[in-house]
Amino acid sequence: MVDADQTFVIVGGGLAGAKAAETLRAEGFTGRVILICDERDHPYERPPLSKGYLLGKDERDSVFVHEPAWYARHDVELHLGQTVDAIDPAAKTVRFGDDGTLVRYDKLLLATGAEPRRLDIPGTDLTGVHHLRRLAHAERLKGVLGALGRDNGHLVIAGAGWIGLEVAAAARGYGAEVTVIEPGPTPLHGALGPELGNVFAELHREHGVRFHFGGRLTEIVGQDGLVLAARTDDGEEHPAHDVLAAIGAAPRIALAEAAGLEIADRAHGGGIVVDERLRTSDPDIYAAGDVASFPLALFDSRIRVEHWANALNGGPAAARAMLGKDVVYDRMPYFFTDQYDLGMEYSGWAPPGSYDQVVIRGDAGKREFIAFWVKEGRVLAGMNVNVWDVTEPIQNLIRSRAQVNTEALADPHVPLETLVS
């Protein structure tokens, strides 16, 4: 069968799906490319939603992966505001949820992403309760933060992860009062551990954010549909005009699960199981981006990564694999954040319990440093804070699996490149 007779369907109109469609055409595929997006907006990138766009620094149009005319120009059949409610792997069809239309595929890519976890407490139906995952969410939240700043209003954020902290920084930029409620002992405790979580706690405290650690929201109190306060399980009541639930995201696996595809357990992220070619347990179905649980030989584990770089690189890798090209997806996890005057990049993977030491190179007090998570002398991950142009040597150091002298690792005068033999 020649390319022109084939149909490749992509379910999910985020960065991974859009870049997969782009790659199929760039690699010379001449068959049908169908991209199905359940939002009415053209495919867009998510980092600006909690960073530049939310802060008012970036225009709305800057978030889109391609200009709207790109899809027709490259003969990509873009279905906006459409859902897929079933996959039949035996018949090799997807079914549209609105009218039941069946579309046959030769290869299928699931790039369905993740969705925000919901608070399961009284009061979540109030007008002032928000989530941040979609462009529409960001548009609404941007207006809310501006109003809170003008009126000296209070925002309560449930969760001190990356989204929660980035929104806290944005809210303070608008002048809103901010309280962050976090069950852990520090921000980012699961991602960075206590050693580095305190760096972010101090950063936000310096900018006027209040933290309530060791507590969980139990109720959002309201009147006439509006938020008045947020209560925690220790009996405290926090003033609030709006509440943001930033308690993590769950992979959107319902389609895959109903189709009988293998799903990873919670220890491995709970996403769709794929091999090193991003192929699922069905040889004609692939998965990429937030929803995929892929093997990473470097860490001898299977992981799921909810960050921009994984979508940016995973979509094209899946597209090439769908075309039969020799693909091994082994991209090192990478993400970044910008909060106030702090910029950070993180490479590697060091979940709690995986490391025995954190080595600091530079001045953590001045927030100009590199942190390394180390186990038995080998670097598992590195985070550069307000130190730039070091991502490549950090990643090379991690990939080398070399045992390093930790004193040299901590010494800013020792070039990182020299630590890899």
Side-chain angles (χ1 to χ4, degrees):
M1 183 182 291
V2 297
D3 279 0
D5 297 323
Q6 293 188 310
T7 297
F8 284 10
V9 174
I10 302 168
V11 180
L15 179 60
K19 296 302 283 187
E22 176 187 320
T23 302
L24 289 174
R25 290 303 187 218
E27 292 286 348
F29 180 67
T30 59
R32 291 182 72 190
V33 176
I34 301 174
L35 178 57
I36 305 167
C37 178
D38 65 359
E39 298 183 60
R40 296 195 177 277
D41 290 302
H42 284 74
Y44 57 85
E45 302 191 42
R46 298 195 190 276
L49 306 190
S50 60
K51 297 181 175 73
Y53 177 65
L54 188 63
L55 287 163
K57 295 180 178 179
D58 297 338
E59 296 296 325
R60 187 180 188 276
D61 286 351
S62 69
V63 309
F64 296 109
V65 182
H66 304 107
E67 61 174 329
W70 181 92
Y71 298 93
R73 192 163 64 244
H74 290 83
D75 199 20
V76 173
E77 301 173 38
L78 181 62
H79 295 263
L80 296 177
Q82 296 268 15
T83 60
V84 170
D85 69 356
I87 299 166
D88 185 339
K92 298 181 73 170
T93 60
V94 298
R95 186 179 70 202
F96 284 106
D98 58 341
D99 61 6
T101 297
L102 294 176
V103 175
R104 192 182 184 282
Y105 63 83
D106 292 284
K107 300 290 182 183
L108 172 65
L109 173 61
L110 297 178
T112 47
E115 58 190 359
R117 297 185 188 278
R118 307 283 170 165
L119 290 167
D120 185 19
I121 59 174
T124 55
D125 58 342
L126 296 168
T127 300
V129 178
H130 310 272
H131 299 86
L132 181 55
R133 179 70 188 179
R134 301 188 168 209
L135 181 54
H137 296 156
E139 288 175 327
R140 180 185 178 202
L141 191 58
K142 185 178 178 183
V144 165
L145 297 185
L148 290 175
R150 289 191 300 272
D151 300 336
N152 197 32
H154 286 75
L155 174 69
V156 166
I157 299 174
W162 296 113
I163 296 297
L165 293 187
E166 288 179 356
V167 174
R172 291 300 296 144
Y174 283 98
E177 299 295 321
V178 179
T179 300
V180 178
I181 297 171
E182 165 58 42
T186 68
L188 305 164
H189 193 264
L192 303 181
E195 301 88 351
L196 277 301
N198 280 318
V199 171
F200 285 86
E202 289 307 309
L203 169 70
H204 282 269
R205 286 191 180 110
E206 288 176 13
H207 287 84
V209 173
R210 291 180 290 274
F211 284 101
H212 183 97
F213 292 118
R216 296 177 184 273
L217 277 186
T218 56
E219 182 182 4
I220 301 171
V221 182
Q223 184 176 344
D224 298 328
L226 302 177
V227 172
L228 296 179
R231 289 178 181 154
T232 48
D233 54 4
D234 54 7
E236 287 201 32
E237 187 166 290
H238 305 269
H241 298 97
D242 289 88
V243 174
L244 173 72
I247 56 174
R252 300 178 69 187
I253 58 172
L255 272 177
E257 204 166 24
L261 301 182
E262 184 180 356
I263 304 298
D265 59 23
R266 289 189 64 183
H268 297 101
I272 303 170
V273 170
V274 295
D275 62 16
E276 69 279 357
R277 301 183 66 234
L278 298 178
R279 183 173 52 189
T280 71
S281 52
D282 183 300
D284 292 318
I285 303 178
Y286 296 73
D290 293 4
V291 77
S293 173
F294 62 95
L296 196 57
L298 178 63
F299 298 103
D300 191 28
S301 187
R302 173 174 292 280
I303 65 174
R304 188 176 67 83
V305 178
E306 293 178 3
H307 294 297
W308 167 83
N310 184 45
L312 178 71
N313 297 305
R320 294 187 181 99
M322 292 162 75
L323 292 171
K325 297 184 180 296
D326 188 17
V327 171
V328 175
Y329 187 69
D330 61 354
R331 284 275 183 168
M332 184 177 299
Y334 165 90
F335 62 90
F336 67 98
T337 190
D338 297 300
Q339 299 170 34
Y340 311 110
D341 58 352
L342 181 149
M344 179 278 281
E345 297 173 297
Y346 180 105
S347 296
W349 189 62
S354 67
Y355 58 93
D356 53 37
Q357 186 179 6
V358 177
V359 176
I360 303 295
R361 167 185 285 233
D363 192 331
K366 293 182 178 179
R367 293 194 280 270
E368 292 183 8
F369 66 96
I370 306 174
F372 298 95
W373 286 260
V374 178
K375 181 175 183 178
E376 297 174 353
R378 293 183 172 87
V379 177
L380 303 179
M383 179 178 77
N384 47 300
V385 175
N386 291 337
V387 176
W388 305 111
D389 301 322
V390 291
T391 296
E392 184 175 353
I394 289 173
Q395 292 194 359
N396 288 341
L397 190 57
I398 297 167
R399 286 191 181 281
S400 75
R401 302 178 69 93
Q403 284 192 306
V404 299
N405 181 303
T406 53
E407 291 185 4
L409 187 64
D411 188 346
H413 298 100
V414 178
L416 291 175
E417 294 82 353
T418 65
L419 298 177
V420 180
S421 57

